[in-house]
Amino acid sequence: MSKGSRDRADKARRIVEQQRLAERRRTVTLWTSVAVVAVLIIAGVIGYSMVSGKDEKTQTALVTPSVAVDEGTAFAVGSGPVTVDLYEDFMCPICKNFESASSAGLRQLATAGKVTLRYHVVSILDRASNGTEYSTRSAGAAAAAAEEGKFTEFHDALYADQPEENSDGLSNAKIIEIGKSIGLTSDKFAEAVNAGMYTAWATKATETFSARHFNGTPTIVVNGTQVTGPQDSVPTLDLITQAVDKAAG
Amino acid sequence: METTTRSAVWPWISTLARVGLAAVWLIAGATKIGDLAESARAVNAYQLVSYDVAKMIGGVQPFLEIGLGVLLLIGLATRLTAAISAVLLVIFMAGIVWAWTKGLRIDCGCFSSGGELGAGRNTTYGLDILRDLGFLALAGVLLWRPRTRYSIDGVLMGESS
């Protein structure tokens, strides 16, 4: 073989080799891409089914307290013409501050027949109780208390004993004990707390809060309009009273 | 044969970018996956979609993030995963810009469960966007030079790694 033809053979071999490599690259790219898309679709489907699975569970387990108002998501105090909606989480320290500052004044407005106070117990701080989901448990317990006509007493007692954020929260036994101290002595209350009878209801109440595009607690709404202090702070009793007077006309 | 220093160094730079971007997605997903309801509320806080849609996005997003993180970590179809990462990052940045221009006072929920900021806490939209631009740069490196070391791609292509 002459030198020239050997060179040509080498060159041809190299070209074939390069083509084979390029072919392999194309095949690998195609199938790895298919694999990536498949993995991401599966991941998405897992997330989707977890959400819809939880939705289904909420719907089947839903027990709405008979005394609840506002699509069964709140408990009313008083029956005045102006509606004041309070969205609070039992784990939220700012809610406790708000309660100490404004609760008495708001109850007076309700007693005087000026407003209907609607307490929405939402549970957006479940992550702040080391996995014991204190927000949801306490909200469910409040529903059980409401069912026995003791919502406000129980609500106030829970705030008086508010656990630290990122602690385990109050145990069910402690919640039942608090109930007893304000006259909730029935087995029904204790059973409802231990069985988590109103867990699904607490989820629904929280979702209603979110669906109304509220994000934080406490949220105070007077006749459908959210009331806030300067720079989105929690409003003072004065500000709320002004909004009530304005709404009353 | 290309044996300049530059071509030898790029796979290593890309490898760093790949692992870095994988860490970003894994951490972002892990902070949300434990509380999907909270993840849904973080999406809802942007007020871009109805709560029902936010709930679905909030449920799917953490799983997608972890999926992308794992795929980048093992280096499967790196250019494609980088492209998907880039698209997601651009969507997230658009969301932050939207929240900013609308004057919403929210945590972006990028590496946390997000939601409304308490009184006295300031928004950090500018920093959030800068950070996302950094992540976008990582994705850009991989789009441009997807060949990396220690990747499944490399093994399948028959490259020594």
Side-chain angles (χ1 to χ4, degrees):
Chain A
M1 241 197 292
S2 73
K3 191 174 181 291
S5 68
R6 203 162 51 225
D7 277 359
R8 271 198 298 280
D10 274 356
K11 209 170 167 187
R13 230 185 348 261
R14 266 208 306 279
I15 289 172
V16 168
E17 182 59 27
Q18 267 166 8
Q19 277 172 342
R20 206 165 26 214
L21 243 156
E23 180 62 29
R24 179 169 178 177
R25 215 162 259 188
R26 268 196 295 277
T27 314
V28 166
T29 305
L30 172 69
W31 287 107
T32 52
S33 300
V34 169
V36 159
V37 171
V39 166
L40 292 180
I41 288 176
I42 290 168
V45 168
I46 292 174
Y48 181 89
S49 54
M50 279 186 79
V51 170
S52 54
K54 188 165 183 254
D55 270 2
E56 230 165 81
K57 227 172 94 191
T58 302
Q59 264 159 29
T60 47
L62 183 65
V63 180
T64 305
S66 59
V67 292
V69 297
D70 191 16
E71 297 168 51
T73 61
F75 304 109
V77 176
S79 56
V82 178
T83 307
V84 179
D85 288 296
L86 308 173
Y87 296 87
E88 301 173 318
D89 187 314
F90 284 114
M91 193 53 151
C92 144
I94 312 172
C95 300
K96 182 177 172 154
N97 294 345
F98 169 74
E99 279 293 317
S100 352
S102 306
S103 179
L106 288 172
R107 297 270 171 82
Q108 269 167 23
L109 288 176
T111 315
K114 282 189 178 166
V115 302
T116 303
L117 277 182
R118 296 199 302 201
Y119 286 91
H120 302 254
V121 289
V122 298
S123 37
I124 59 172
L125 294 173
D126 273 338
R127 66 179 182 284
S129 51
N130 296 337
T132 74
E133 305 202 337
Y134 175 70
S135 289
T136 293
R137 287 187 296 117
S138 55
E147 199 65 327
E148 302 200 32
K150 294 232 178 255
F151 174 78
T152 48
E153 294 88 337
F154 185 69
H155 166 272
D156 297 352
L158 275 189
Y159 272 114
D161 242 325
Q162 187 181 56
E164 291 260 324
E165 265 187 304
N166 298 317
S167 69
D168 290 348
L170 305 179
S171 66
N172 283 348
K174 177 70 183 165
I175 290 174
I176 292 165
E177 196 187 306
I178 291 174
K180 275 202 181 109
S181 73
I182 53 115
L184 285 165
T185 49
S186 71
D187 286 344
K188 205 175 134 204
F189 175 74
E191 274 162 25
V193 172
N194 281 328
M197 185 172 168
Y198 295 104
T199 300
W201 174 83
T203 302
K204 195 197 154 202
T206 307
E207 297 206 317
T208 305
F209 161 82
S210 296
R212 291 174 181 173
H213 279 297
F214 300 129
N215 300 307
T217 53
T219 290
I220 296 98
V221 181
V222 174
N223 265 12
T225 308
Q226 188 173 353
V227 181
T228 54
Q231 287 198 303
D232 280 338
S233 57
V234 178
T236 58
L237 180 60
D238 276 351
L239 270 176
I240 301 169
T241 311
Q242 278 169 29
V244 167
D245 290 341
K246 211 174 130 198
Chain B
M1 285 300 260
E2 252 195 315
T3 44
T4 57
T5 1
R6 242 164 107 211
S7 66
V9 163
W10 267 110
W12 290 105
I13 295 176
S14 293
T15 306
L16 282 179
R18 200 187 87 215
V19 174
L21 197 57
V24 167
W25 287 129
L26 288 174
I27 295 168
T31 54
K32 300 181 189 107
I33 209 159
D35 191 348
L36 294 183
E38 187 60 29
S39 174
R41 285 193 286 273
V43 177
N44 193 48
Y46 282 86
Q47 302 183 15
L48 271 163
V49 292
S50 76
Y51 177 68
D52 282 331
V53 176
K55 200 156 72 172
M56 283 309 156
I57 296 174
V60 168
Q61 188 189 328
F63 288 91
L64 275 187
E65 289 177 341
I66 288 190
L68 270 178
V70 170
L71 290 169
L72 279 165
L73 198 62
I74 63 174
L76 193 68
T78 304
R79 186 171 252 164
L80 178 65
T81 47
I84 298 172
S85 300
V87 169
L88 275 179
L89 285 166
V90 168
I91 294 173
F92 293 167
M93 282 190 281
I96 296 170
V97 169
W98 153 270
W100 201 353
T101 53
K102 233 192 138 202
L104 299 180
R105 296 189 69 255
I106 59 174
D107 182 311
C108 74
C110 306
F111 289 95
S112 67
S113 300
E116 194 169 88
L117 289 171
R121 275 184 64 203
N122 293 317
T123 54
T124 54
Y125 297 131
L127 281 175
D128 293 336
I129 289 173
L130 271 181
R131 188 186 53 192
D132 280 2
L133 279 174
F135 299 156
L136 196 59
L138 294 181
V141 167
L142 290 174
L143 272 170
W144 184 39
R145 295 277 163 105
R147 284 177 65 180
T148 56
R149 301 280 163 176
Y150 310 116
S151 68
I152 300 232
D153 283 344
V155 173
L156 292 176
M157 303 271 189
E159 291 161 5
S160 55
S161 58

